[in-house]
C-alpha cells in the first residue's frame, strides 16, 4: 500500500472523527507537511475531507468513482481485482489497455476500469458509449487453460456473473439474451466483449470487457440507442454505487471461473438457461451475410445457439445477433 492509501485507510477507519496532523504524521512516520500534501491529493481524487488548523482532518465522504481503493474495499476475492485495478479517468478502451497489460505478462484477475472511453468497442465491430462516470467500463484478464474453440463458454460465463451481479444489487428483472447481453424489459443494460490471444491449440489470455449502464439517464444516451438501451437508474429512479456493483461482478466472476475450472461448463450452462427468457420463443438471428428465423430451441454444451428454422431444421449458430420476434 502506498502512503496515500494508508492515510486514506486511517481516515476511513475513523470516518467522521477529527484526526490531527500530528497524530497522522506519527502513525505514518511522515511529516505534517507530507500529510497535508497527501490530503490534497485525496481531495483531488474526489474525497470530501474537511481540514482545520486546530482539529486536523476528517473524512466526510468518498467519491462515486471506480478508484482502486474504492473497489477493493471489502472485496472478497483471492484473484479477481486482487493484484491490480488500473483506473483511468479516460482512455481509448479498457479492452485495449487490458490487452497491452496481458501482453506484458499481467496475471489472471488484473482489472482495468475507466470513467470514460474515447473508443469504447462493442461486439461485431460496433462501438460502446457510456457517459463519463455514469456506467461501468471494465475489462478483466483471464489466463484459462483451454483451447481457443472453448472461449465462447467464457463469454457465457461472464454474462451469468454480470446478470447475477445486477440482480443482487438492484431490484430489477434482468435476463440474458444470447450470447451475452443483459436486458431489462427487452432493453440492453449491459454488454460483454470477449477478445483473446491464441494459437491453434493454446490460449495465451482472454480479455473480458464489460459495459454496464448504471446511473445513465435517458437524455445522456445517444438518440439512436435510446429505445434499445436502459440503465439501472432509468429502470428504478435510483442511483447505485458503481463500486459496489463492480465488486459484486468481480466476486461472481471469481466464483464462476472456479466452477468452470473444477466442474467444467455444465453448471454454468444450467445457470445461463435459468437466466434467459429466450428458450422456446420466436427469434431472428443475423449471422454474417444472412438472417434466419425460427424458434430458440436451446444452447448446446459449447454455448452455441440451437434454433429450429421454419423448415423444421435444427441450426447450430456459433455467433450472431438475436432479435425477438412477436408470436
Ligand atoms: C456489446 O454489447 O457489443 C459489448 C459491449 C462491451 C463494452 C465494454 S465497456 C468496457 C470494455 N471496453 C471496451 O472497449 N468494450 C468493453
Amino acid at each position: 500500500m502506498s502512503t496515500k492509501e494508508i492515510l486514506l485507510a486511517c481516515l476511513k477507519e475513523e470516518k467522521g472523527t477529527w484526526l490531527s496532523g500530528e497524530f497522522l504524521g506519527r502513525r505514518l512516520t511522515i511529516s505534517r507537511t507530507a500529510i497535508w500534501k497527501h490530503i490534497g491529493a485525496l481531495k483531488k481524487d474526489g474525497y470530501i475531507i474537511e481540514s482545520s488548523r486546530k482539529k486536523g482532518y476528517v473524512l466526510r465522504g468518498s467519491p462515486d468513482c471506480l478508484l482502486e481503493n474504492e473497489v477493493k474495499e471489502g472485496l472478497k476475492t483471492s484473484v479477481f481485482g486482487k493484484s491490480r485495478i488500473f483506473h483511468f479517468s479516460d482512455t481509448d478502451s479498457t479492452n485495449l489497455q487490458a490487452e497491452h497489460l496481458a501482453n506484458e505478462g499481467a496475471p489472471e484477475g488484473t482489472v482495468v476500469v475507466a470513467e470514460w472511453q474515447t473508443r469504447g468497442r462493442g461486439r461485431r465491430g460496433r462501438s460502446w458509449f457510456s457517459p463519463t462516470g455514469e456506467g461501468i467500463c471494465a475489462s478483466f484478464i483471464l489466463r484459462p487453460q483451454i483451447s481457443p474453440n472453448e472461449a465462447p463458454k467464457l463469454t457465457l460465463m461472464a454474462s451469468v456473473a454480470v446478470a447475477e451481479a445486477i440482480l443482487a444489487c438492484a431490484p430489477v428483472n434482468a435476463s440474458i439474451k444470447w450470447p451475452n447481453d443483459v436486458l431489462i424489459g427487452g432493453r440492453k443494460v449491459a454488454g460483454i466483449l470477449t477478445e483473446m490471444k491464441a494459437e491453434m491449440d493454446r490460449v495465451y489470455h482472454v480479455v473480458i470487457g464489460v459495459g454496464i449502464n448504471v446511473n445513465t439517464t435517458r437524455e445522456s444516451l445517444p438518440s439512436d440507442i435510446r429505445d434499445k438501451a436502459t440503465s439501472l437508474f432509468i429502470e428504478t429512479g435510483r442511483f447505485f454505487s458503481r463500486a459496489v456493483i463492480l465488486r459484486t461482478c468481480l466476486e461472481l466472476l471469481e466464483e464462476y471461473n472456479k466452477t468452470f475450472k473444477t466442474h467444467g461448463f455444465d453448471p454454468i450452462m444450467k445457470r445461463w438457461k435459468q437466466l434467459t427468457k429466450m428458450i422456446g420463443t420466436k427469434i431472428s438471428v443475423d449471422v454474417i451475410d444472412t438472417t434466419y428465423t425460427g424458434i430458440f430451441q436451446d444452447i448446446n454444451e459449447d454455448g452455441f445457439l440451437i434454433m429450429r428454422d421454419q423448415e423444421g431444421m435444427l441450426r447450430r449458430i456459433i455467433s450472431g445477433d438475436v432479435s425477438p420476434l412477436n408470436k
Side-chain angles (χ1 to χ4, degrees):
M1 268 217 256
S2 69
T3 311
K4 188 173 98 176
E5 285 166 347
I6 301 171
L7 175 60
L8 179 62
C10 289
L11 291 167
K12 279 190 169 176
E13 232 171 73
E14 302 289 342
K15 195 174 172 201
T17 308
W18 288 94
L19 302 172
S20 72
E22 196 190 333
F23 168 82
L24 289 167
R26 255 190 284 119
R27 188 125 178 228
L28 276 77
T29 55
I30 55 173
S31 68
R32 282 164 59 181
T33 319
I35 292 286
W36 175 77
K37 275 192 188 149
H38 287 300
I39 291 281
L42 287 171
K43 282 184 179 172
K44 259 199 183 150
D45 287 342
Y47 290 94
I48 302 163
I49 300 170
E50 258 182 71
S51 321
S52 143
R53 268 174 171 259
K54 279 192 184 152
K55 294 188 273 187
Y57 306 100
V58 59
L59 178 66
R60 296 288 188 207
S62 300
D64 174 42
C65 69
L66 299 173
L67 284 169
E68 186 168 22
N69 288 318
E70 292 306 308
V71 181
K72 279 190 169 170
E73 199 175 304
L75 179 66
K76 294 191 268 319
T77 59
S78 49
V79 177
F80 282 77
K82 268 297 167 191
S83 54
R84 273 300 306 272
I85 298 178
F86 292 87
H87 174 266
F88 292 88
S89 303
D90 58 81
T91 189
D92 44 10
S93 149
T94 55
N95 264 36
L96 286 174
Q97 294 301 329
E99 174 71 25
H100 295 317
L101 289 163
N103 285 333
E104 283 163 16
E108 172 150 294
T110 302
V111 177
V112 181
V113 288
E115 304 293 334
W116 163 249
Q117 297 183 119
T118 52
R119 278 176 56 205
R121 298 185 301 161
R123 282 177 65 233
R124 311 185 91 207
R126 287 186 285 251
S127 59
W128 177 264
F129 173 81
S130 180
T132 309
E134 293 185 5
I136 293 174
C137 298
S139 301
F140 317 107
I141 296 175
L142 277 76
R143 296 198 177 270
Q145 306 223 315
I146 55 171
S147 64
N149 58 14
E150 284 194 280
K153 296 177 181 173
L154 293 177
T155 303
L156 269 68
M157 176 190 88
S159 67
V160 168
V162 171
E164 282 196 1
I166 288 174
L167 288 167
C169 296
V172 290
N173 191 358
S175 64
I176 305 176
K177 178 172 83 104
W178 189 85
N180 55 12
D181 287 348
V182 182
L183 309 183
I184 303 174
R187 295 194 165 115
K188 184 158 161 172
V189 68
I192 295 164
L193 174 68
T194 307
E195 297 177 295
M196 70 173 162
K197 184 174 175 182
E199 277 178 15
M200 287 295 282
D201 57 351
R202 183 178 161 200
V203 171
Y204 290 101
H205 62 249
V206 169
V207 171
I208 295 180
V210 174
I212 308 178
N213 299 328
V214 180
N215 298 322
T216 321
T217 58
R218 187 164 294 292
E219 302 70 53
S220 62
L221 286 169
S223 53
D224 56 322
I225 59 165
R226 226 168 257 173
D227 291 338
K228 298 181 215 145
T230 191
S231 74
L232 298 183
F233 173 76
I234 293 169
E235 293 299 321
T236 63
R238 278 169 49 188
F239 287 102
F240 293 87
S241 157
R242 293 177 301 138
V244 169
I245 296 174
L246 179 55
R247 206 150 52 223
T248 312
C249 281
L250 291 171
E251 289 168 359
L252 286 159
L253 264 176
E254 176 147 320
E255 188 184 317
Y256 280 109
N257 198 37
K258 259 192 219 154
T259 303
F260 184 58
K261 280 181 185 168
T262 47
H263 304 289
F265 185 57
D266 203 47
I268 292 160
M269 184 174 77
K270 287 197 176 116
R271 187 68 188 123
W272 191 95
K273 288 185 194 182
Q274 288 169 346
L275 288 166
T276 193
K277 292 181 177 153
M278 303 224 83
I279 295 174
T281 64
K282 204 167 172 200
I283 53 162
S284 72
V285 190
D286 289 336
V287 289
I288 299 160
D289 49 8
T290 169
T291 301
Y292 298 114
T293 54
I295 302 295
F296 192 121
Q297 202 74 24
D298 206 350
I299 57 164
N300 73 4
E301 65 286 353
D302 293 315
F304 301 159
L305 160 58
I306 308 295
M307 79 174 273
R308 188 175 291 280
D309 70 15
Q310 282 159 320
E311 282 75 49
M313 282 239 316
L314 284 182
R315 286 191 183 276
R316 197 185 62 149
I317 294 165
I318 297 169
S319 166
D321 271 333
V322 174
S323 308
L325 291 178
N326 295 329
K327 284 177 193 146

